[in-house]
Amino acid sequence: MSETINASTVRSKTSRMSSDKLAEIEQLLARRREGFSLEAPFYTDTQLFQFDTEAIFGQHWLFAASIAELPEPGDYVTVDYGPYSLIVLHNDDGGINVLHNVCRHRGARIMNQSSGTTGNLVCGYHSWTYSPEGELIYASIPGEMDFNKQCFALRRAHSRVVAGLIFVCLAEEPPEDFDHVSQIFEPYVAPHELTKTKVAYQQDLIEGANWKLVMENNRECYHCDGHPELLCSYFPTYGLTEDLVPPHLEEAWERSIQAEDVLRQRCQRYGLPYEEIEELDTRVVGIRIARDALDGEGESFSVDGRRLSKKLLGDLPDFRLGRCSMHLQPNSWFHFLSDHAITFAVFPIGVDRTLVRTTWLVADDAVEGVDYDLQQLTHTWEQTNTQDQELVELAQRGISSPVYEQGPYMRSEYQVEAFINWYIQRAREYMP
Amino acid sequence: MSETINASTVRSKTSRMSSDKLAEIEQLLARRREGFSLEAPFYTDTQLFQFDTEAIFGQHWLFAASIAELPEPGDYVTVDYGPYSLIVLHNDDGGINVLHNVCRHRGARIMNQSSGTTGNLVCGYHSWTYSPEGELIYASIPGEMDFNKQCFALRRAHSRVVAGLIFVCLAEEPPEDFDHVSQIFEPYVAPHELTKTKVAYQQDLIEGANWKLVMENNRECYHCDGHPELLCSYFPTYGLTEDLVPPHLEEAWERSIQAEDVLRQRCQRYGLPYEEIEELDTRVVGIRIARDALDGEGESFSVDGRRLSKKLLGDLPDFRLGRCSMHLQPNSWFHFLSDHAITFAVFPIGVDRTLVRTTWLVADDAVEGVDYDLQQLTHTWEQTNTQDQELVELAQRGISSPVYEQGPYMRSEYQVEAFINWYIQRAREYMP
Amino acid sequence: MSETINASTVRSKTSRMSSDKLAEIEQLLARRREGFSLEAPFYTDTQLFQFDTEAIFGQHWLFAASIAELPEPGDYVTVDYGPYSLIVLHNDDGGINVLHNVCRHRGARIMNQSSGTTGNLVCGYHSWTYSPEGELIYASIPGEMDFNKQCFALRRAHSRVVAGLIFVCLAEEPPEDFDHVSQIFEPYVAPHELTKTKVAYQQDLIEGANWKLVMENNRECYHCDGHPELLCSYFPTYGLTEDLVPPHLEEAWERSIQAEDVLRQRCQRYGLPYEEIEELDTRVVGIRIARDALDGEGESFSVDGRRLSKKLLGDLPDFRLGRCSMHLQPNSWFHFLSDHAITFAVFPIGVDRTLVRTTWLVADDAVEGVDYDLQQLTHTWEQTNTQDQELVELAQRGISSPVYEQGPYMRSEYQVEAFINWYIQRAREYMP
């Protein structure tokens, strides 16, 4: 784990919103009804969206990209969280610098591509040039005598890289428990050696829904009948407990119990962590991580559960390792398998528009067409994402009706409620 | 006439708007200048549009569809009035149920198509299933013990079906005079037997103008020089009184007087109501209905006034019955002819966007290509609608200029003024 | 110079904005930091955009078009400044009338085309007909007794025509120093005889940036490395002073000094004004005008500096006259050359959308394909405009980030600062 501490971060906890609006939001937060979905303004009010960009995206650790998206020194990606734009740059020391994508001269966006390779960072407007650390090193200013370039470095954000996953934080003082949480998940993720993977495919979906609806949708499988491809590898009893299994699923239940037993023993044999850890709303960096068996061959997200890439990730000893799934608040989830990994990052665009970026990673020596078929590799989650897009857009449209009222969460939706609990706590903490 | 009384309607007369904004609107209403068009904010201000959705569309009887659009049990259409979405459903008893299109679980829109056929109503998100009456009858909730499905029925709206026309009301207590008004117009419309018609064609036009400009445009023929197709069947003296007829129209005036005489006698012979009834701004359910002669053959909206469908509607005894035209506040107008009928419904979308839905109905046993030519049937009003769209968009654009000021209504625009009178009265009544 | 004084202009200095918002803007104006770019709300806040349309576009002299765009009596163009729409009409006396494009009946936009030829002005809605002076001369109103047409003339705006350039002012009392300023620039522009030119080409670019970013971009050549085509005719030392010339540009410096000498002598010989006059922020009608030599042949904006049209404008005696460039606050700039002229007009559309209209004028007897090649004529500035569009859009995007802060202007950007000075002064003066 590499760490970057930045002296010149920007955001303080002072809201740019009017005190009237903050008071209105405080009332909405105060009358939150436990066990029920949020009131409509949380999903439809543009000022509440601005609040979210401040209180959630401006204050917390956010997943940005995996190292496979910028493998070489000089590689960069740009990511936008609402109105914020960041350059995530692989520096010459192998570390990651995160810089606000705003020139200090007249405010132009510096890097206008979603990814690329660069040496210094040159603004396209007047060629102000910054080092990869963000220092202003060149500005063609004939005769400008009293100009102190040191005062005009790019604004930086905090960043951490854990097991090949890059996280950023825009707050001046990031939440402290990230270290603890990264110690939780690093042993699960590290064996998949994401630093030795490459991007097989990346899908950007712009969904017509508030970012919280996108997250809520990810946090339950109560709607998974709408995901026939995914249900090939998930057990049909997924989410049930023994007392709830209906007669026609008893056989599947037995099959899943056996598969979990075998997987647990296999993990113990290989020294791979297995147990579920769940702290979704009990800490500032909310997390859930667990390893679950898959149906069929139990190797990957395919129709029959068989591997989708012939190359194992890292030094993993076996293809039959199910899925190691991680969920982080507020904007990401992940599936780490033996043959590939998938990262999901959520970037809010507007009150009812959200970018969901899905990235498929395979071993860096896997050859497309030989070791894996790209269409097969991505099929299950491309379909699942498109189905989810339709579902969250139905939710956004329905909630926009004046007659919408808060509905009850079911037991199988407890992780949705945990997300909402986490959100409400963070929002309350942000209040002055 | 069938009637549905619903216990669980939703809207009360409590505004969701801020008291500041309501006070601002109250001032605008107070300084309304009689005989003149409204001030610009009524057409351009987004919060005034929200006010309209509450005070007008949330409180009054609205035309939704004709029974021909959902002829069989299980057939439904969805209609949206601003932010409200409704399912209008033909139930098994032959009646109409109107349900808010919002799932009680997590708020998803339930029916996402504009029309179709269904048994129970199944939400696409988590398969919550409602009866055609809106009762929650199924929710796949393993082990959910203390969940009382009776508390989660769909919200319903009031509805009435009169002579095959379906009206809805979102208010908790709908305006009382609908019964009276339906008794006024039923004798005019019933002989056309819309229950024995079918939809020949439906046109949806999205017009770039406030819904009130669309209505105002419908309420005068002062602009009808812009409708050459329509003027083939309307007399060129339409809207004039005897003292105003210019010399070059004296012949046409004589022709129209004669035609009206003949039509009156014919109606009396057949027992068809004929007289004009006009209460556009003197009651809550504003109405105008009358039977007028048409030029030429006097049968239909064709170039020479001849029939456009060979099948008479219902048991009508004659093709030469002119047009029976009905105008209702706030969102509809109709033409009932011997050979076909046309309904016009106005659905506001945003402050400067409005859906106008025009539906051509013919006898249910009329065969396209044999009894009627679809292009000829729809030609006059398709052209007229497109011309009107251009006109109201010119009005919206001009009114958006800061120099726009209220202009005077002419005598021939008295129905526009009646619409505005009605609107101002309803808006004032809504004020707390 | 023709002048039109209008009795019935509209705008007073009373803002339509709330006093709260005006107070907020007043604070922003008060804490303006000299030598630095403006704070973000000036570029991103929709209410500040509304303020600009009132305080700047509603109060000051604006360039609208050149006479070549409406050469004959009856010709007109429509121009929109934010929400204002104007008809600029060539009247029968050879003068220019400027009328608000809003019918006095029900507010419809009257002329919906960007240009054309007309006699009287007939509203497309109800055929209300206005004379070219704006008087209501016809309204088909049968029996309308007490209707005084004189009360319903079109609203007019002030206008001036100077050396073939048409300026308009929406204010009731236009700034007084326009007469003085027009006396400054008329001797420079008049010899190019724009009244004897024709439009060779007009380009409308809609740029995704606030109108002030478009103006600022025009007011410096610090970014001109991004304009390779333009740099063929501009000297590479453009904007430098002698003490700042780097060694590798000494030769170019010498070349430019020589060219300026030759041009000065030539202008003196021909009696053409030459000296730079610069009052960009020292008067209400801010101006800069000067004649500068061009590189290469020194005739026009071509790769080698040679003429782009074979016909001289007016009675100019020589092709080698460099460029006479004029910059006016708040919305225009111009290049007058011996063989063609280019006008640039900026029309704000929304807070982050601006129309830039560029018009190439050649001698009215120049024949396309014979005297000039249209593609060559327009190449340099079509490319330059497109490059500028990209640059200002980068600025708009970057400034939208919450971390944007005001950046320092360089010495070569003093005209940008002058524009901002001018803007801040005008905005402060508008405050109640």
Side-chain angles (χ1 to χ4, degrees):
Chain A
M1 179 175 74
S2 79
E3 176 168 341
T4 312
I5 295 173
N6 302 299
S8 66
T9 48
V10 176
R11 292 275 299 113
S12 75
K13 234 167 170 168
T14 311
S15 175
R16 293 179 305 275
M17 307 187 71
S18 76
S19 53
D20 279 6
K21 191 68 195 180
L22 283 175
E24 202 182 312
I25 296 173
E26 201 152 23
Q27 282 187 345
L28 278 167
L29 293 170
R31 69 172 186 247
R32 182 259 171 133
R33 187 176 175 192
E34 285 196 29
F36 281 76
S37 62
L38 295 175
E39 289 186 62
F42 285 102
Y43 305 112
T44 61
D45 184 294
T46 53
Q47 290 199 274
L48 241 153
F49 175 71
Q50 188 191 328
F51 176 81
D52 282 0
T53 64
E54 283 189 9
I56 305 299
F57 288 89
Q59 294 294 327
H60 292 89
W61 284 102
L62 310 171
F63 175 63
S66 78
I67 197 73
E69 296 176 52
L70 49 164
E72 302 295 330
D75 290 349
Y76 72 89
V77 296
T78 56
V79 290
D80 292 357
Y81 301 100
Y84 294 98
S85 180
L86 298 172
I87 304 164
V88 179
L89 180 72
H90 195 142
N91 68 28
D92 291 341
D93 305 327
I96 296 294
N97 299 338
V98 181
L99 306 157
H100 281 282
N101 195 6
V102 181
C103 183
R104 291 299 305 279
H105 175 217
R106 272 165 57 196
R109 177 166 288 215
I110 297 170
M111 307 310 267
N112 206 26
Q113 306 298 316
S114 61
S115 64
T117 301
T118 189
N120 291 322
L121 304 166
V122 183
C123 178
Y125 204 165
H126 303 92
S127 302
W128 281 33
T129 302
Y130 302 89
S131 75
E133 308 302 312
E135 294 149 356
L136 177 59
I137 52 177
Y138 174 78
S140 112
I141 309 159
E144 208 71 46
M145 291 310 158
D146 54 356
F147 179 71
N148 185 352
K149 287 203 288 278
Q150 292 189 317
C151 298
F152 295 97
L154 292 183
R155 298 294 178 190
R156 296 188 63 167
H158 295 275
S159 66
R160 302 285 176 87
V161 184
V162 185
L165 302 174
I166 303 167
F167 298 88
V168 303
C169 184
L170 305 177
E172 201 165 341
E173 295 181 19
E176 287 174 5
D177 63 346
F178 187 82
D179 289 346
H180 180 81
V181 169
S182 63
Q183 284 163 15
I184 291 175
F185 71 75
E186 194 171 25
Y188 285 75
V189 183
H192 296 264
E193 291 193 64
L194 301 186
T195 52
K196 294 185 183 160
T197 62
K198 64 175 183 181
V199 174
Y201 188 64
Q202 188 165 76
Q203 176 203 42
D204 276 0
L205 266 188
I206 292 179
E207 307 190 358
N210 185 270
W211 72 275
K212 294 191 289 295
L213 290 177
V214 172
M215 294 305 300
E216 293 175 21
N217 178 72
N218 168 254
R219 295 299 151 88
E220 44 96 355
C221 211
Y222 183 21
H223 70 270
C224 282
D225 281 347
H227 295 317
E229 295 82 2
L230 187 62
L231 288 184
C232 292
S233 40
Y234 278 42
F235 282 99
T237 50
Y238 179 73
L240 295 184
T241 51
E242 187 161 12
D243 56 319
L244 301 176
V245 177
H248 73 279
L249 288 181
E250 275 170 15
E251 195 183 311
W253 177 260
E254 286 306 317
R255 199 166 72 242
S256 75
I257 293 295
Q258 261 187 316
E260 292 291 346
D261 275 349
V262 170
L263 178 60
R264 185 182 314 112
Q265 289 163 28
R266 196 175 286 137
C267 286
Q268 284 167 350
R269 190 159 68 243
Y270 298 139
L272 293 171
Y274 173 90
E275 294 302 327
E276 171 190 303
I277 296 174
E278 188 167 286
E279 301 202 47
L280 284 167
D281 57 3
T282 48
R283 50 169 63 250
V284 177
V285 180
I287 184 173
R288 181 185 191 279
I289 194 164
R291 198 172 279 277
D292 288 295
L294 293 172
D295 205 350
E297 294 295 318
E299 295 181 350
S300 201
F301 288 129
S302 53
V303 175
D304 55 4
R306 290 187 66 86
R307 66 199 68 169
L308 288 165
S309 172
K310 293 175 186 165
K311 298 280 187 182
L312 284 162
L313 297 189
D315 293 324
L316 287 173
D318 200 315
F319 277 102
R320 292 162 302 160
L321 296 176
R323 62 180 170 104
C324 172
S325 298
M326 177 162 74
H327 297 76
L328 292 174
Q329 317 293 29
N331 83 318
S332 60
W333 61 95
F334 309 83
H335 297 297
F336 307 104
L337 285 73
S338 61
D339 64 334
H340 75 292
I342 319 182
T343 68
F344 301 78
V346 169
F347 301 100
I349 296 171
V351 64
D352 57 1
R353 272 168 63 88
T354 304
L355 169 65
V356 178
R357 175 167 291 164
T358 305
T359 312
W360 285 260
L361 306 173
V362 295
D364 54 11
D365 59 349
V367 178
E368 186 183 337
V370 177
D371 295 313
Y372 65 94
D373 177 90
L374 187 57
Q375 199 278 332
Q376 286 179 25
L377 177 72
T378 60
H379 181 69
T380 291
W381 278 100
E382 275 207 293
Q383 294 298 309
T384 301
N385 285 345
T386 304
Q387 292 149 3
D388 281 331
Q389 174 177 29
E390 286 174 24
L391 297 176
V392 299
E393 290 179 354
L394 286 179
Q396 184 73 31
R397 294 189 75 185
I399 288 169
S400 299
S401 169
V403 306
Y404 161 76
E405 59 195 293
Q406 299 155 269
Y409 290 131
M410 300 295 106
R411 266 170 50 183
S412 56
E413 296 174 299
Y414 78 96
Q415 288 180 36
V416 181
E417 195 173 359
F419 170 75
I420 295 299
N421 287 340
W422 180 90
Y423 169 80
I424 293 285
Q425 287 177 68
R426 300 291 84 74
R428 285 177 178 157
E429 280 167 11
Y430 184 73
M431 284 292 161
Chain B
M1 179 175 76
S2 79
E3 176 168 341
T4 313
I5 296 173
N6 301 298
S8 65
T9 47
V10 175
R11 292 275 300 113
S12 76
K13 233 165 167 171
T14 311
S15 176
R16 293 179 306 274
M17 306 187 71
S18 76
S19 53
D20 279 6
K21 190 69 196 178
L22 283 175
E24 201 182 312
I25 295 173
E26 201 152 23
Q27 283 187 345
L28 279 167
L29 293 170
R31 69 173 185 248
R32 183 257 170 135
R33 186 175 175 193
E34 285 196 29
F36 282 76
S37 62
L38 294 176
E39 289 187 62
F42 285 102
Y43 305 111
T44 61
D45 184 292
T46 53
Q47 291 198 273
L48 240 153
F49 175 72
Q50 188 191 329
F51 176 82
D52 282 1
T53 65
E54 283 189 8
I56 304 300
F57 290 88
Q59 295 295 326
H60 293 89
W61 283 103
L62 310 170
F63 175 62
S66 78
I67 197 72
E69 296 176 52
L70 51 164
E72 302 294 331
D75 290 349
Y76 71 90
V77 298
T78 56
V79 291
D80 293 356
Y81 300 101
Y84 295 98
S85 181
L86 299 173
I87 304 164
V88 179
L89 180 72
H90 195 142
N91 67 28
D92 291 341
D93 304 327
I96 295 296
N97 299 337
V98 181
L99 305 157
H100 281 282
N101 195 4
V102 181
C103 184
R104 292 297 306 279
H105 175 216
R106 272 164 59 196
R109 178 167 288 215
I110 296 169
M111 306 311 267
N112 206 28
Q113 306 297 316
S114 60
S115 66
T117 301
T118 189
N120 291 320
L121 304 165
V122 183
C123 178
Y125 205 165
H126 303 91
S127 302
W128 281 34
T129 303
Y130 302 88
S131 75
E133 308 302 311
E135 293 150 357
L136 178 58
I137 54 177
Y138 175 78
S140 112
I141 309 156
E144 209 71 46
M145 291 308 157
D146 53 356
F147 178 71
N148 185 352
K149 287 204 287 279
Q150 292 188 317
C151 298
F152 296 97
L154 292 184
R155 297 295 176 191
R156 296 188 64 167
H158 295 275
S159 68
R160 301 283 178 89
V161 184
V162 184
L165 302 173
I166 303 167
F167 298 86
V168 303
C169 183
L170 306 176
E172 201 165 341
E173 295 180 18
E176 286 174 5
D177 63 347
F178 187 82
D179 288 347
H180 180 81
V181 170
S182 64
Q183 283 162 15
I184 291 175
F185 71 78
E186 194 171 24
Y188 287 75
V189 184
H192 297 263
E193 290 193 66
L194 301 185
T195 52
K196 292 184 184 160
T197 62
K198 65 174 181 181
V199 175
Y201 188 62
Q202 189 165 74
Q203 176 203 41
D204 277 359
L205 267 188
I206 292 178
E207 308 190 356
N210 186 270
W211 71 277
K212 293 190 291 294
L213 291 177
V214 173
M215 293 306 299
E216 293 175 22
N217 178 72
N218 168 254
R219 296 297 152 89
E220 44 97 354
C221 211
Y222 183 21
H223 70 269
C224 282
D225 281 347
H227 296 317
E229 295 82 2
L230 188 61
L231 288 184
C232 292
S233 39
Y234 277 43
F235 283 99
T237 50
Y238 181 73
L240 295 184
T241 51
E242 188 162 10
D243 56 316
L244 302 175
V245 176
H248 73 281
L249 289 181
E250 275 170 17
E251 195 184 312
W253 177 260
E254 287 306 318
R255 199 166 73 240
S256 76
I257 293 294
Q258 262 188 316
E260 293 290 346
D261 275 347
V262 171
L263 179 60
R264 187 182 313 114
Q265 288 163 27
R266 195 176 286 138
C267 287
Q268 283 166 352
R269 191 160 66 245
Y270 299 139
L272 293 171
Y274 173 90
E275 295 302 327
E276 172 191 303
I277 297 174
E278 187 167 286
E279 301 203 45
L280 284 166
D281 56 2
T282 47
R283 49 169 65 251
V284 178
V285 180
I287 183 172
R288 181 185 190 278
I289 194 161
R291 198 171 281 276
D292 288 296
L294 293 173
D295 206 350
E297 295 294 318
E299 296 181 349
S300 200
F301 289 129
S302 51
V303 174
D304 55 3
R306 290 186 66 84
R307 65 201 68 170
L308 289 164
S309 172
K310 294 175 188 165
K311 298 279 186 181
L312 285 162
L313 297 190
D315 294 322
L316 287 173
D318 200 314
F319 276 102
R320 292 163 302 161
L321 296 176
R323 60 179 172 104
C324 174
S325 298
M326 177 163 73
H327 297 76
L328 292 174
Q329 317 292 29
N331 84 317
S332 58
W333 62 95
F334 309 83
H335 296 298
F336 307 105
L337 286 73
S338 61
D339 64 336
H340 74 292
I342 320 182
T343 68
F344 301 78
V346 169
F347 301 99
I349 296 170
V351 64
D352 57 2
R353 272 166 65 84
T354 305
L355 169 65
V356 178
R357 174 168 292 164
T358 305
T359 311
W360 286 259
L361 305 175
V362 294
D364 54 11
D365 59 349
V367 178
E368 186 183 338
V370 176
D371 295 311
Y372 65 95
D373 176 272
L374 189 56
Q375 199 278 331
Q376 287 179 25
L377 177 71
T378 59
H379 181 68
T380 291
W381 278 100
E382 276 206 293
Q383 294 297 310
T384 301
N385 285 345
T386 304
Q387 292 149 2
D388 282 330
Q389 173 177 31
E390 285 172 25
L391 297 175
V392 300
E393 291 178 354
L394 286 179
Q396 184 73 32
R397 294 189 75 186
I399 288 170
S400 300
S401 168
V403 306
Y404 161 76
E405 60 195 293
Q406 299 156 266
Y409 290 130
M410 300 296 106
R411 264 169 50 182
S412 57
E413 298 173 298
Y414 77 96
Q415 288 180 36
V416 181
E417 194 172 0
F419 171 75
I420 295 300
N421 287 342
W422 180 91
Y423 169 80
I424 294 284
Q425 287 177 67
R426 300 292 84 73
R428 285 178 179 158
E429 279 167 12
Y430 184 73
M431 284 292 161
Chain C
M1 180 174 76
S2 78
E3 175 167 343
T4 313
I5 295 174
N6 302 298
S8 66
T9 47
V10 176
R11 291 276 299 112
S12 76
K13 233 167 167 168
T14 312
S15 176
R16 293 179 306 274
M17 307 187 70
S18 75
S19 54
D20 279 6
K21 191 67 196 182
L22 283 174
E24 201 182 311
I25 295 173
E26 201 152 23
Q27 282 187 346
L28 278 167
L29 293 170
R31 69 172 185 248
R32 183 258 170 134
R33 186 176 175 191
E34 285 197 28
F36 282 76
S37 61
L38 294 176
E39 290 186 61
F42 285 102
Y43 304 111
T44 61
D45 184 294
T46 53
Q47 290 199 274
L48 241 152
F49 175 72
Q50 188 191 328
F51 176 81
D52 283 1
T53 65
E54 283 188 8
I56 305 300
F57 289 88
Q59 294 295 327
H60 293 89
W61 284 102
L62 310 170
F63 175 63
S66 78
I67 197 71
E69 296 175 53
L70 50 164
E72 302 295 331
D75 290 348
Y76 72 90
V77 298
T78 56
V79 291
D80 293 356
Y81 301 100
Y84 294 98
S85 180
L86 299 172
I87 303 164
V88 179
L89 179 73
H90 194 142
N91 66 29
D92 290 342
D93 305 327
I96 296 294
N97 299 339
V98 181
L99 306 157
H100 282 282
N101 196 5
V102 181
C103 183
R104 293 297 306 279
H105 175 219
R106 272 164 59 195
R109 175 165 290 214
I110 297 169
M111 307 310 268
N112 206 28
Q113 306 297 317
S114 60
S115 65
T117 301
T118 189
N120 291 321
L121 304 166
V122 183
C123 178
Y125 205 164
H126 302 90
S127 302
W128 281 34
T129 302
Y130 302 88
S131 75
E133 308 302 311
E135 293 149 359
L136 178 57
I137 53 176
Y138 175 78
S140 114
I141 309 159
E144 209 72 45
M145 292 309 157
D146 52 355
F147 178 72
N148 185 352
K149 288 204 286 280
Q150 293 189 317
C151 298
F152 296 97
L154 291 184
R155 298 293 177 193
R156 296 189 63 167
H158 295 274
S159 67
R160 303 283 178 87
V161 184
V162 185
L165 302 173
I166 303 167
F167 298 87
V168 303
C169 183
L170 305 177
E172 201 165 341
E173 296 181 18
E176 288 173 6
D177 64 346
F178 187 81
D179 289 345
H180 179 81
V181 170
S182 63
Q183 284 163 15
I184 292 175
F185 71 79
E186 194 172 23
Y188 286 76
V189 183
H192 296 263
E193 290 193 67
L194 301 185
T195 52
K196 294 184 184 160
T197 62
K198 64 174 183 181
V199 175
Y201 189 63
Q202 188 165 75
Q203 176 202 43
D204 276 359
L205 266 187
I206 292 179
E207 307 191 356
N210 186 270
W211 71 276
K212 294 191 291 293
L213 291 177
V214 173
M215 294 305 300
E216 294 175 20
N217 178 71
N218 168 253
R219 296 297 151 89
E220 45 96 355
C221 211
Y222 183 22
H223 71 269
C224 282
D225 281 346
H227 296 318
E229 294 82 3
L230 187 62
L231 288 183
C232 292
S233 40
Y234 278 42
F235 283 98
T237 50
Y238 180 72
L240 294 183
T241 50
E242 186 163 10
D243 56 317
L244 302 175
V245 177
H248 74 280
L249 288 181
E250 275 170 15
E251 196 182 311
W253 177 260
E254 286 306 319
R255 199 165 74 241
S256 75
I257 292 297
Q258 262 188 315
E260 293 291 345
D261 275 348
V262 170
L263 179 61
R264 185 183 313 114
Q265 289 163 27
R266 195 175 286 139
C267 287
Q268 283 167 352
R269 190 159 67 243
Y270 298 138
L272 293 171
Y274 174 90
E275 294 302 327
E276 171 190 304
I277 296 175
E278 186 166 288
E279 300 202 48
L280 285 166
D281 56 1
T282 48
R283 51 169 62 251
V284 177
V285 179
I287 183 173
R288 181 185 192 278
I289 193 162
R291 199 172 279 277
D292 288 296
L294 292 174
D295 206 350
E297 295 294 317
E299 296 181 349
S300 201
F301 289 129
S302 52
V303 174
D304 54 4
R306 289 188 66 85
R307 66 199 68 169
L308 288 164
S309 173
K310 293 176 189 165
K311 299 278 187 184
L312 284 162
L313 297 190
D315 294 323
L316 287 173
D318 199 314
F319 277 103
R320 291 162 302 160
L321 296 176
R323 61 178 171 104
C324 173
S325 298
M326 177 162 73
H327 297 76
L328 291 174
Q329 317 293 29
N331 84 317
S332 60
W333 62 96
F334 309 83
H335 298 296
F336 307 104
L337 285 75
S338 61
D339 64 335
H340 74 291
I342 320 182
T343 68
F344 300 79
V346 169
F347 301 100
I349 297 171
V351 64
D352 56 2
R353 271 165 66 85
T354 305
L355 169 65
V356 178
R357 174 168 292 165
T358 305
T359 311
W360 285 258
L361 306 174
V362 295
D364 53 12
D365 60 348
V367 179
E368 187 183 336
V370 176
D371 294 312
Y372 64 94
D373 177 273
L374 188 57
Q375 199 280 330
Q376 286 179 26
L377 176 72
T378 60
H379 181 68
T380 291
W381 278 101
E382 276 207 293
Q383 294 299 308
T384 301
N385 285 345
T386 305
Q387 292 148 4
D388 281 330
Q389 174 177 30
E390 285 173 24
L391 297 176
V392 300
E393 290 179 355
L394 287 179
Q396 184 74 31
R397 295 189 74 185
I399 287 170
S400 300
S401 169
V403 307
Y404 161 76
E405 59 195 294
Q406 299 155 268
Y409 290 131
M410 300 295 104
R411 266 171 46 183
S412 56
E413 296 172 300
Y414 78 95
Q415 288 181 35
V416 182
E417 194 172 359
F419 171 75
I420 295 299
N421 287 340
W422 181 91
Y423 170 80
I424 293 285
Q425 287 177 67
R426 300 289 86 73
R428 284 178 179 157
E429 279 167 12
Y430 184 73
M431 283 293 161

